Amino acid sequence: DGGITQSPKYLFRKEGQNVTLSCEQNLNHDAMYWYRQDPGQGLRLIYYSQIVNDFQKGDIAEGYSVSREKKESFPLTVTSAQKNPTAFYLCASSILAGGKQPQHFGDGTRLSIL
Amino acid sequence: GESVGLHLPTLSVQEGDNSIINCAYSNSASDYFIWYKQESGKGPQFIIDIRSNMDKRQGQRVTVLLNKTVKHLSLQIAATQPGDSAVYFCAETYPLISGGYNKLIFGAGTRLAVHP
């Protein structure tokens, strides 16, 4: 089945630790995105990538980093500089970045602080 | 259960009734809109989209209405079923004058509770 796979489903971070969230897609989409979702709020864009080896900061990029070495993969690292990392993280992809087309989402990773 | 949507407005309906979920969007230049459904612990699922050159679009049991005059979007679900219980949110996008990536802007959502 084509889709977006995020792992792990649950992740715990200790103080001062970096953690990496995985996102893989087999939809052959060029664009990929990372969002953060907090209770009662809309999704906020962390980073996006329009094509392999390119990525851009979104609205809340501080404390996060990404890479896009392969078309299928867009991992997100939550660094120790992110002081409030507890949230539901969603990865999405679309055929192209922007434009009039939907983004398709994975089932998220819930990150909590130990 | 997951905590997404703790303080969202809730629409309660009886099974079999029609549901109407509303969304006020922010930018009069927005030209593309999407409705998503999000079940507890899952990612948003695409339901239906509409472009600004249309005022109505129908899918299977769902209809989206767009009123650009008052910047209002609605999602109608016919014969609502228990499986429709979820958080629903709209997203909009508008072209940038400077060009470049025009991001999706998401609303906070409405919780739909379907009672038997």
Side-chain angles (χ1 to χ4, degrees):
Chain A
D1 284 356
I4 301 171
T5 301
Q6 291 188 241
S7 62
K9 189 169 178 63
Y10 299 96
L11 187 59
F12 299 91
R13 195 191 88 169
K14 296 179 181 178
E15 291 286 343
Q17 185 181 41
N18 294 351
V19 291
T20 298
L21 285 60
S22 170
C23 178
E24 302 278 330
Q25 56 101 357
N26 60 4
L27 299 167
N28 200 32
H29 286 174
D30 279 322
M32 296 186 75
Y33 314 82
W34 274 105
Y35 292 92
R36 171 179 172 139
Q37 189 173 35
D38 294 283
Q41 296 189 33
L43 277 65
R44 292 184 290 168
L45 182 64
I46 305 173
Y47 268 97
Y48 66 97
S49 169
Q50 299 184 67
I51 200 167
V52 176
N53 292 321
D54 177 74
F55 50 83
Q56 304 294 330
K57 292 182 179 180
D59 300 319
I60 55 165
E62 186 174 349
Y64 300 98
S65 66
V66 294
S67 62
R68 187 85 188 277
E69 297 176 1
K70 298 188 296 182
K71 187 175 185 177
E72 318 81 70
S73 179
F74 191 40
L76 172 75
T77 296
V78 183
T79 75
S80 57
Q82 172 49 245
K83 297 308 178 187
N84 183 24
T86 298
F88 192 47
Y89 290 88
L90 288 160
C91 178
S93 70
S94 61
I95 296 172
L96 296 172
K100 301 177 181 57
Q101 58 193 294
Q103 295 178 15
H104 299 275
F105 288 83
D107 275 340
T109 292
R110 181 160 297 280
L111 177 62
S112 303
I113 296 298
L114 281 177
Chain B
E2 303 300 339
S3 59
V4 169
L6 265 180
H7 306 292
L8 297 176
T10 298
L11 174 66
S12 293
V13 300
Q14 291 295 123
E15 182 178 358
D17 286 352
N18 296 334
S19 303
I20 300 177
I21 301 170
N22 297 305
C23 176
Y25 62 91
S26 60
N27 194 316
S28 57
S30 290
D31 59 357
Y32 178 64
F33 306 87
I34 308 172
W35 277 102
Y36 286 95
K37 171 187 180 182
Q38 187 175 22
E39 297 176 272
S40 182
K42 294 191 174 183
Q45 176 186 358
F46 170 80
I47 302 172
I48 192 167
D49 57 2
I50 188 167
R51 300 188 179 201
S52 59
N53 60 353
M54 305 171 69
D55 53 20
K56 180 179 180 179
R57 190 167 186 219
Q58 289 185 290
Q60 188 175 17
R61 271 202 315 120
V62 295
T63 300
V64 56
L65 299 178
L66 175 62
N67 185 331
K68 294 181 288 293
T69 303
V70 295
K71 294 190 293 183
H72 184 267
L73 195 66
S74 69
L75 178 71
Q76 300 179 1
I77 304 174
T80 313
Q81 302 167 3
D84 295 326
S85 294
V87 173
Y88 291 80
F89 53 90
C90 63
E92 62 183 292
T93 186
Y94 51 86
L96 297 176
I97 295 173
S98 58
Y101 171 61
N102 46 333
K103 65 181 181 182
L104 280 177
I105 300 169
F106 294 85
T110 297
R111 178 178 299 283
L112 176 65
V114 182
H115 303 284

